Amino acid sequence: MGDGATIAGHVLTGRTRISELGTWHDAASPQEVPSGVLRFDPRAVATPEARERLVAAVSAENRLRQGGPTPLLPVADLVTARGEVWLITSRRAMPSLADLLAEQGGGLDAGSAATILVETAQALLAVHAAGLTHGALHPGTVIVADDGSALLAERGLLEALRGEPVSAERDVAAWSALARGLAASWAHGDAATLMERAASTASTHGLGPARDTLLAGRDALPPGFTTRERLADAVRRWSSGPAATVPVPPAPTGAGEAVTLLDVPGGTASGAVAYDAARTSAPGQGGDVMMRFGPGVPPETTAAQIWRSGQGATAHTTVGQTGGPAPKARGRRKTAWAGTVLLAMLIALVILWLRQSPAADIAVSKVDVKAPKKVVRCDGTAEFVGVVTTNGEAGTISYMWIQSDAKKPLKPVQQRVASGTTSVNLPLHWKVTGPSSFRGTATLRVMSPTPSGKPLQDKASFNYKC
C-alpha cells in the first residue's frame, strides 16, 4: 500500500520497513502529527486465538502506560481495516536502531551506544516490574526518536502471535547480545570493554546492575554523551535521505472503514464511544470511519463477530440518532448491502491469501572474521568481529567461536535475527594475560542455517607481545 492511502485517519506517507510482524509505514495522524502504522502479515493473525492474544498484549501495554510515561513506542489503536489488522502508534516507528546501524555503520560513537543501552535497560526494567516481558528485543525493535531517545517497539506482539511464552531472562539475554553488538559496531578500547562488562553483569546480576555499570563507567565514554546529540543528528540525516521502501503486497480495496479492537475508556453505559470528528466523514465521501466499542459491549456485537471470525467486514452504525429503530425495509436494504460487501471482501481476502507465497527461511551465505590489526600488548584484549551475511529473512543463527589456545570451543550460541537484516555482527573479546609472545587465531563457525546444510566458517589471527 503506497503513499496517500489512509488507515483510520492516518495517511501513509510512503516510507516503509519490514519487521517480523509485517510492514511498518510512516504516517501522519488526522492532526498531521507524525505517527506509525503496522500492517500485520495476514498469516500471523490468521487464527482467532492469535488475534485474541494480540488484543490482550496491546491492552496490557496500554494499562502499563496509564500508570505514567513509559519508554515504549506508544500504541494509539489496534484496528481492522480493509480486511486486515493494523496497529497504529502515536509516534513514528522509524528509524530503528537497525536502520541506523545499516546507514551509519561506524559513524556513531560509544556514547551513542551507551545511551541506547541505558535507556533500553530502563525500559525493560519497567516492563518486567509490571509483570510483562518484551519478547523480541533486537536492533529492529529499538526505535530512535527525533531527540535521540530510545523507545521499545512491538512489546509482547511476537510472543502473542506465536503463542510462545517468553521469560524476563530471555529479555536480559537479548539485551546482553545487543550490548555486545553495539560494542563491536560503535565502540573500541575501554568503552568496548565497559559494554562487555555490562553485558556480563546483566547475565549474572540483572539489568539494574548492568545499567549502573554503564553509568559508573562514564569516564570511558565521550564527554556529553547523555545529551543524545549525535543520535539526534543521525536521525535527522536518516530522515532527510531518500525514502527507503520495500515491496508491499497489494491490500484489498474498499472504503477503508476501520473498527477498533480495544476497549476505550469513557464510553457510555451501552459501551459505545463518541466518534472522533477528525476521523469521521459522512457516508459516501470516501473517508475513514473510526468506530469504537468500549467496556460493556455484549460479546456478540458486530465488532466482536468481525474480530473472532477474522473477517474484514464493514461495520455500520447510526450517528446522532435519538429516535426509535429505522424502518424495517431500510434495515433490510442495509443488511443486504452489508452482506454483499462482506462476501466481496471475503473473496478478495481468499485471493490475496492464495497469491502470497510462504515466508522464506533465513540462510547464511557468507562468514567474514576481522581481527585487530595492531599488536595486542600486555594484559590486553583482542577484539574480533564476525560479519555474517544472510538473505534478509527472519530466523535464528546457531554459531560458535573457536580460539586456538582453548582446549574446547566456546558453547554454541543462538542469535535471533530480524527480517530485513542482511548483515549481523558477532563479536569475540579474547582476553590475554601474562608475559608471552604468540599468534592467536579465532574461528567463527556458523552451524545453521546454511544453504548446503554444512557449517560455514572463517578465521583471522592477531599477535600478542608482552
Side-chain angles (χ1 to χ4, degrees):
M1 183 174 297
D3 186 9
T6 302
I7 298 297
H10 292 251
V11 180
L12 309 188
T13 58
R15 191 188 291 268
T16 59
R17 69 178 179 88
I18 295 294
S19 84
E20 294 171 289
L21 303 173
T23 305
W24 278 103
H25 298 256
D26 245 354
S29 74
Q31 294 77 29
E32 299 185 354
V33 176
S35 61
V37 176
L38 171 61
R39 176 191 183 190
F40 285 96
D41 185 334
R43 292 164 292 187
V45 291
T47 66
E49 294 80 10
R51 295 190 293 270
E52 293 291 347
R53 291 193 299 267
L54 182 62
V55 169
V58 175
S59 299
E61 182 170 318
N62 284 344
R63 288 193 295 271
L64 174 62
R65 289 174 51 218
Q66 290 173 7
T70 60
L72 301 175
L73 184 66
V75 174
D77 213 338
L78 180 68
V79 304
T80 56
R82 305 178 189 272
E84 295 184 303
V85 182
W86 306 74
L87 183 81
I88 301 172
T89 61
S90 55
R91 298 185 67 170
R92 292 182 69 195
M94 302 180 201
S96 69
L97 181 56
D99 294 327
L100 296 186
L101 284 167
E103 293 289 332
Q104 305 296 334
L108 290 171
D109 61 2
S112 302
T115 297
I116 294 289
L117 292 174
V118 168
E119 294 184 357
T120 52
Q122 190 62 38
L124 289 176
L125 286 169
V127 169
H128 294 169
L132 304 174
T133 58
H134 186 282
L137 177 69
H138 53 70
T141 57
V142 177
I143 306 304
V144 183
D146 292 340
D147 62 355
S149 60
L151 300 171
L152 297 188
E154 302 181 15
R155 190 221 64 81
L157 303 186
L158 188 64
E159 174 187 2
L161 294 179
R162 292 181 175 178
E164 301 174 354
V166 175
S167 65
E169 289 75 16
R170 179 170 168 179
D171 283 347
V172 174
W175 187 91
S176 296
L178 178 66
R180 292 188 170 99
L182 290 182
S185 299
W186 290 348
H188 56 84
D190 292 342
T193 301
L194 173 64
M195 293 177 198
E196 173 64 30
R197 187 163 66 249
S200 300
T201 301
S203 301
T204 55
H205 300 291
L207 289 171
R211 174 203 56 198
D212 297 341
T213 297
L214 289 170
L215 295 174
R218 64 179 61 212
D219 290 344
L221 301 171
F225 75 92
T226 55
T227 62
R228 311 190 189 109
E229 290 182 1
R230 296 199 65 168
L231 281 167
D233 288 342
V235 173
R236 283 191 289 271
R237 289 194 300 271
W238 184 88
S239 298
S240 63
T245 60
V246 294
V248 180
T253 58
E257 297 181 352
V259 180
T260 189
L261 303 167
L262 302 178
D263 289 340
V264 180
T268 64
S270 65
V273 178
Y275 278 64
D276 182 345
R279 294 185 178 183
T280 308
S281 60
Q285 294 181 0
D288 289 324
V289 181
M290 174 56 73
M291 304 175 62
R292 299 186 176 278
F293 300 82
V297 178
E300 292 306 316
T301 60
T302 303
Q305 292 172 2
I306 292 173
W307 186 237
R308 290 189 174 86
S309 65
Q311 300 165 354
T314 303
H316 291 269
T317 187
T318 303
V319 181
Q321 179 174 329
T322 57
K328 291 183 178 180
R330 183 178 175 185
R332 284 195 296 270
R333 286 196 299 272
K334 286 186 176 181
T335 302
W337 182 84
T340 302
V341 172
L342 173 62
L343 178 60
M345 296 188 77
L346 284 174
I347 293 173
L349 277 173
V350 170
I351 294 174
L352 175 65
W353 222 306
L354 291 175
R355 291 180 62 183
Q356 288 179 331
S357 59
D361 294 328
I362 185 174
V364 174
S365 58
K366 182 181 178 182
V367 178
D368 182 28
V369 175
K370 299 177 181 179
K373 296 181 179 179
K374 296 182 179 180
V375 174
V376 177
R377 298 298 178 180
C378 300
D379 300 333
T381 300
E383 305 287 352
F384 287 83
V385 178
V387 181
V388 176
T389 303
T390 76
N391 59 354
E393 300 296 336
T396 301
I397 297 173
S398 177
Y399 71 95
M400 68 168 63
W401 280 102
I402 304 172
Q403 298 176 197
S404 58
D405 68 340
K407 295 180 179 179
K408 294 182 180 179
L410 299 179
K411 293 182 179 179
V413 178
Q414 306 295 318
Q415 175 68 47
R416 182 71 188 173
V417 180
S419 177
T421 303
T422 57
S423 181
V424 183
N425 290 343
L426 304 175
L428 171 67
H429 310 283
W430 186 339
K431 178 72 174 179
V432 186
T433 59
S436 65
S437 178
F438 79 100
R439 183 175 178 82
T441 300
T443 302
L444 174 60
R445 179 176 297 168
V446 176
M447 278 78 73
S448 66
T450 61
S452 64
K454 298 180 180 180
L456 291 178
Q457 67 181 42
D458 188 35
K459 61 184 178 179
S461 302
F462 75 102
N463 292 315
Y464 174 81
K465 291 184 179 180
C466 180

